[in-house]
Structure formats: C-alpha cells, structure tokens
Amino acid sequence: MNTLAENAFRLAFGALPFEEAMALREGSTWRFLPGGDPGRYAGLLSTAALDAFLRTDTARAPRVTMADNGREGSAAVPQEEYLMPDGPRIDLPRLLTRFDAGATLVVSQMQDVHAPLADFCRGLEKAFLHGVQANAYLTPPGAQGFRAHFDTHDVLVLQVEGRKAWRVWDHIPLPRPTRATPWENRYGVEGEPHRFEMAPGDALYIPRGVPHDAAAQEGPSLHLTIGFLEPSFANLLADVVDALERELPALRESVPTWRLAEPDGAARLAERLAPAIAALTGAGLAERIAIAALDRAAQDRLPLPARGLFPPPVVAETRLRLADSMLHHLIPDADGGAVLRWHGGVMPLGAAEFSWLQALEDGAPAGSLGEGGLAFCQKLAALGLLERIG
C-alpha cells in the first residue's frame, strides 16, 4: 500500500526521480513537466466542484477573490464588485457577472475545504516536511488574471482543464524573495520570455523569484497552483529566540537605549550583545531550528486525524500503524525515550513507549507490544495518531 507522500509525489512530479525534485527545490531553475495524460489531475478538482463550492456558505472572502489583468492599476477586482454589502459572503450573481466579463476566479487554500486536495497536500507535506497549499484559478476564455510577477514561495502549477499560454523569464530581479519582499510592482521583467502552452495533465515548477504570467486560450482554463511554504531561517530564528528567552538570561538583558546617543553607544551595544550571541551559539541552535521547522509544519496545518466520530474499538488483535494523514514527529532524548509532537499536543515517552512507536511505524497488532501496549495504542488511536491496517 502506497503512502500519501508516495501517491502525492508521483501525481505532482510524474516520473521525475525524487533526487531531481529535491534539486529543483534547492535551486532557482524553473522546469516544464509535460504530462501526457489529460485526466491526470481530474481527481483533484473540477469546474463542477468549484461551481458547487460557490453555492456554499464557505465561499467567502478572503478565500474567494477575483483578478482581471485588463483593469487600470491593480489587477485585483475590488471586493464590493462580487461580495454581499454586509460582509465577506460572495454575491454569486454578481460574481458570475464579473467572471463573464473576463475576471479570473481565485479560490485560495482550497485544501482546507476540498477533501481530494487535503489528501494531496498532506502527502506533499509528509514528503517535504513543510506546509503546502492549493490555490485554484479559473480563467474565462482568452482572459488573463495577473500581470507578470514573481511568487514569494516555490510553486507547482497543475493544468486541470483547458489550455493556458505561459511566459517565464530567466532573469530574477530579487533572489529568494519572501513575504517580507513581495512584488508590489517595484520590479520589471528583463529579456525575452520563454513561451509555451500548458494542456491538461501538464505541470510547471516555478521557484520563488522567477517572473511569469499566463493567459487562457480559446476556452476556459482551470489550474491549481500548489504553494510550497517552507520557512526561512529568519522565520525559524524568530521562533527559536522567542523560546530561548525563557531559558537564557543573556537574552533577557536590556538594550541600553539611553546610551545610543553617546559617541560610543554602538560599541556599548555590541559589548552587551556579545553574550547573547554566544548564548545562542551554544544552545544547540541548528537542532532547535530543525525542531522548530517540524513543529511549524504540524502546527500550521489541519491535523486530519485517522479516526471518525465513532471509531471501532482497539483490541489486542487490531493491527495499527502511525497515521499517514497526521503530521507528527519524534525527538529522541538522552535517556532512551523521546518526545512525540503533533498538532496541539506534546507527549513525553519512556524507552518502552518509544520502542512501541518504532514498532508501529511499519504496523503491528496492539497486543504484541507487551504489558501496557494495548492501553497505549488505545490512547493514541483516540487522538487519531494511529490508523488501522486491513
């Protein structure tokens, strides 16, 4: 039985070997990945599914937006043109009128409201160990939603229905942009773009910072933009420093702002700063950043527990394994135990419990773990951290 990660990776990247995909993620080169199967992404989303979503009360701003390249100034369509006057709910008749006039429909974070995309993104999250999102773009025939721009995270474009003409530029105006350094129309494209057309089943990998745009052809175009939301060192350093402030007195020292106007103010500040930097350096910073990255992946995404409202009881014969749909990780400790961390929970484990979890990675009957193992499995299954096999 393939895991969520294996299924999602194969669907996303086709026959591309895992190491080549890793090289793409670590570089700054875009790549077109022809599909050859028009129905390749049909199970992830459809125009019919989007139509059904728009008829629910979850179709609200800011999840639902619209864009039109033909507008003066910003391509973003003002919300008052497609929302109800009293709040974030969409006004569907007016939204459809704007769509008919050429505006692109954008539904962001659709993995939170559409089960096939939830499983797909969770699989990629398990493969890459960071958050993944799925934004849907439905563009009317011959229209273009956004002008040339770059994204502040890597994206994988999946063409679901229709055809779309793309332009991608090699020149990168701002290396490694983040949410702190967005496009904001401050940059221009340089050189001749690469031009190609995407058909259903094709994929396109675009690293952050690479300028691009796209326009629908004769018919409407539906594509998914899969966003890879890996944190930057700045993100994780902020998380780690916040946590270490409780542990390291050097980080709690006051900044002598009252000395900054003096001639040697900067030197005095550097002198006070040195112990704080030394404390950070000696605090196992790389390991703490690694844990912070895994914690962020789990805490920022929906938990997706491996149980429903009325799960069958776990008995000694029940074969279980660690839940494929949950983002969780184990941090071994010096005493032979570990700490199990997941969305909303932290559980210290003794050496025996740690060994039980290691046995459950590949699956085992709950009663085979030894004394206390069955109760342990019942507890984790109730939390949705274990799933049944067979």
Side-chain angles (χ1 to χ4, degrees):
M1 175 175 161
N2 291 330
T3 64
L4 282 177
E6 291 167 337
N7 290 335
F9 182 86
R10 189 178 303 112
L11 183 57
F13 292 96
L16 191 70
F18 188 73
E19 282 305 317
E20 286 192 40
M22 294 300 102
L24 279 179
R25 296 301 319 280
E26 293 163 1
S28 58
T29 302
W30 64 277
R31 184 162 176 177
F32 177 54
L33 302 167
D37 175 11
R40 180 179 175 188
Y41 303 123
L44 292 178
L45 188 64
S46 65
T47 299
L50 268 180
D51 228 340
F53 165 76
L54 292 175
R55 285 160 169 76
T56 69
D57 198 46
T58 54
R60 297 175 171 231
R63 188 184 304 279
V64 177
T65 57
M66 304 193 83
D68 187 349
N69 178 59
R71 292 180 52 82
E72 291 288 336
S74 172
V77 176
Q79 291 187 339
E80 58 267 24
E81 295 188 20
Y82 57 89
L83 294 185
M84 294 286 191
D86 59 346
R89 292 181 300 163
I90 66 165
D91 184 333
L92 187 52
R94 296 175 69 214
L95 181 146
L96 294 174
T97 297
R98 290 298 293 113
F99 182 79
D100 291 343
T104 291
L105 170 67
V106 184
V107 183
S108 301
Q109 304 279 344
M110 201 160 185
Q111 79 283 350
D112 290 342
V113 295
H114 190 59
L117 287 173
D119 285 344
F120 177 65
C121 288
R122 179 50 43 89
L124 292 177
E125 287 167 350
K126 300 278 280 192
F128 292 107
L129 301 180
H130 62 62
V132 175
Q133 69 182 20
N135 296 346
Y137 297 82
L138 182 63
T139 303
Q144 179 175 337
F146 295 94
R147 304 178 183 103
H149 66 282
F150 59 66
D151 292 304
T152 57
H153 52 262
D154 300 348
V155 300
L156 182 70
V157 177
L158 310 179
Q159 189 67 29
V160 181
E161 298 174 7
R163 306 176 75 89
K164 208 159 198 180
W166 284 78
R167 297 188 299 175
V168 182
W169 285 263
D170 288 327
H171 172 71
I172 296 177
L174 180 70
R176 298 295 186 186
T178 67
R179 295 179 71 176
T181 52
W183 176 269
E184 291 183 345
N185 296 319
R186 291 181 292 138
Y187 307 97
V189 295
E190 295 183 15
E192 283 298 310
H194 300 270
R195 301 172 186 267
F196 53 92
E197 188 173 281
M198 290 184 67
D202 291 343
L204 172 64
Y205 179 78
I206 307 179
R208 57 187 168 129
V210 173
H212 58 275
D213 66 9
Q217 297 304 282
E218 295 81 10
S221 164
L222 173 61
H223 79 259
L224 288 163
T225 294
I226 307 304
F228 296 107
L229 308 178
E230 75 275 12
S232 68
F233 276 114
N235 298 147
L236 296 180
L237 279 170
D239 292 348
V240 170
V241 170
D242 281 347
L244 284 175
E245 184 179 356
R246 294 188 290 271
E247 301 176 25
L248 302 177
L251 295 182
R252 301 196 295 270
E253 287 291 337
S254 300
V255 175
T257 54
W258 50 90
R259 296 288 190 182
L260 295 181
E262 299 177 3
D264 61 347
R268 284 174 178 264
L269 181 60
E271 183 179 338
R272 296 288 290 272
L273 181 62
I277 299 298
L280 282 176
T281 304
L285 198 56
E287 182 178 345
R288 286 178 180 268
I289 286 176
I291 294 172
L294 296 174
D295 282 346
R296 179 177 281 241
Q299 299 297 337
D300 284 356
R301 318 314 290 170
L302 290 175
L304 303 182
R307 57 154 292 178
L309 292 171
F310 299 104
V314 172
V315 297
E317 294 75 24
T318 308
R319 289 186 59 83
L320 299 164
R321 68 177 178 186
L322 287 171
D324 199 21
S325 60
M326 285 285 278
L327 290 168
H328 55 264
H329 51 282
L330 281 165
I331 309 297
D333 60 34
D335 298 325
V339 176
L340 174 63
R341 306 170 75 95
W342 72 97
H343 182 101
V346 176
M347 182 184 294
L349 304 175
E353 294 168 321
F354 184 25
S355 69
W356 294 340
L357 269 192
Q358 289 175 309
L360 289 166
E361 285 186 6
D362 298 320
S368 69
L369 302 179
E371 184 177 355
L374 176 58
F376 178 74
C377 288
Q378 290 169 336
K379 179 178 180 180
L380 293 192
L383 293 168
L385 289 165
L386 296 180
E387 63 184 6
R388 286 167 169 76
I389 305 174

